[in-house]
Amino acid sequence: MRMAIDTTQRRLLLGILLATVLTLALLIADLARGGRADPPALRAAATLLDGSWRFRTGDDPRWADPRTGDGGWGTIDLTARPGSHDGDVGLPDYVGGWMTQGHAGYSGHAWYRRAVDVPAGGASWDILGPTLVEDGYELYWNGQLLGGSGRIGEHPRVVGTRPLRFALPAGAAGTRGVLAIRTFMLPRPGPGGDAGGLHAAPILAPRPVADGLHRAQWERTIAGYVVDAVEPLAMLALVGLILWCRPRSSQRGFLAFAGIALALMAARRFNNALVAWTDMMDLPTYSLLAKYMWMPMVTAWALAWNRWHKPAWRILDGAALAILAAQVAGATAHLASLASISRWGSIALFVLIGTRIVRGGPMRVLAPIALALITVCFFGDELLDPIGVPGIWFPFGIGVSRTQYLYAALIPLLAVLVVRTLDGPDRAAVRA
């Protein structure tokens, strides 16, 4: 029976290696494709509607009507610095929001307007909507609503901005029209930095040039969040491996809580792609989940690793649950000091558990490394920011967060640990 188990382990480990290499190769290829600049010939045939726009805070439906004057409005500049990009995905032609242009601290509705000359000819023309807006918008041409992102009326429902394309009315070629963009930004808890409204200018393009540019925008958007889709799938595959291995494992308690933690992590990470690619989740719901979901994940991992070195210490379980209560209370009551203390409490708890594993647990090299990776994933602000580790890198011009890099190392390492638990003290029971 031992030979059969060893053979099973070797096959599983080989499968983990092959799946990891193949997945990394596909991700790198997609990042490289998405990070390419827009084809120069297409951009040359299109017009980036940057420069000065009329701007006004507040909200009035009449402001979409070109007959409503905007002479008393202020101005805002949508000209991007050469090579600029946003600090998350790497979207090009990035400009600071209205908070950097004279409207610090403002949230709510605001309008942008400008006149646009559409070249003459027989082509049909499209407007490619701004690819990054905080937090939703509607686009009007001569007072006619062409579409937008989210719902920003009396009861706003704002979602992640995606590449959108709007067809100008027939007969627009050879005319001058007024392009108006109504935006809405949710209130921000802090000062807001460079937040507010449009962070990229729309593009005017004829078809089929608009088709090619829209495709390039989507390739960039897919690449920007593809890791957030693939890693959750890998986590769920790891949960499946845990369910298969657990009856044969020497670490059943660890695997039970690790499976719960991984399922929660997969749900949380996939939310990023869900918001970026679809309108299935609004931004307030996303923010609420981001605020709280990491807390039960940390607790589940603490309960899991406490069971790696048997027997589990009940005092550590109690500490993990107490810290969870403190984290929830701090976040709910907006008590920054309590939230900070509870985070450092989690770090201390993981250090204590790791020390216990190093002194007497199985796999005293691989297990502490995995635990350390998990700790840094959740507490990078405390552990990596002070030493200057960037939060996001931009390989191929696409943003990849340090947490995503850490998960890329953690997932296969955890898979190896799970498989290795098949060759443990309970092997005699399996053999029987």
Side-chain angles (χ1 to χ4, degrees), residues 214-237:
H214 190 239
R215 187 180 309 112
Q217 289 179 343
W218 261 112
E219 288 176 353
R220 190 174 296 115
T221 301
I222 293 295
Y225 293 94
V226 68
V227 181
D228 281 318
V230 172
E231 286 185 339
L233 293 176
M235 292 175 188
L236 293 178

Side-chain angles (χ1 to χ4, degrees), residues 137-305:
Y137 74 92
E138 293 175 343
L139 189 144
Y140 297 83
W141 177 259
N142 288 334
Q144 177 185 347
L145 175 63
L146 301 185
S149 174
R151 183 179 63 241
I152 61 174
E154 183 178 355
H155 303 288
R157 181 181 183 273
V158 290
V159 297
T161 308
R162 306 180 306 283
L164 298 174
R165 180 174 53 174
F166 310 98
L168 291 184
T175 68
R176 165 173 278 205
V178 172
L179 181 64
I181 303 178
R182 179 194 187 200
T183 63
F184 173 80
M185 187 178 77
L186 294 165
R188 295 295 193 267
D194 68 349
L198 306 187
H199 288 282
I203 296 175
L204 172 69
R207 297 181 208 150
V209 171
D211 299 331
L213 289 175
H214 190 239
R215 187 180 309 112
Q217 289 179 343
W218 261 112
E219 288 176 353
R220 190 174 296 115
T221 301
I222 293 295
Y225 293 94
V226 68
V227 181
D228 281 318
V230 172
E231 286 185 339
L233 293 176
M235 292 175 188
L236 293 178
L238 184 50
V239 172
L241 179 64
I242 286 173
L243 293 174
W244 185 85
C245 288
R246 187 169 180 269
R248 307 166 179 83
S249 173
S250 62
Q251 296 287 351
R252 296 178 187 178
F254 169 82
L255 293 185
F257 285 105
I260 294 171
L262 285 164
L264 291 172
M265 288 168 64
R268 169 65 187 91
R269 297 304 300 184
F270 189 71
N271 282 345
N272 294 339
L274 191 69
V275 167
W277 297 345
T278 77
D279 60 1
M280 295 175 63
M281 180 183 295
D282 61 16
L283 292 181
T285 301
Y286 171 83
S287 298
L288 184 67
L289 293 174
K291 183 177 181 180
Y292 288 101
M293 277 188 71
W294 69 273
M295 301 175 188
M297 296 180 213
V298 170
T299 304
W301 277 122
L303 296 175
W305 287 108

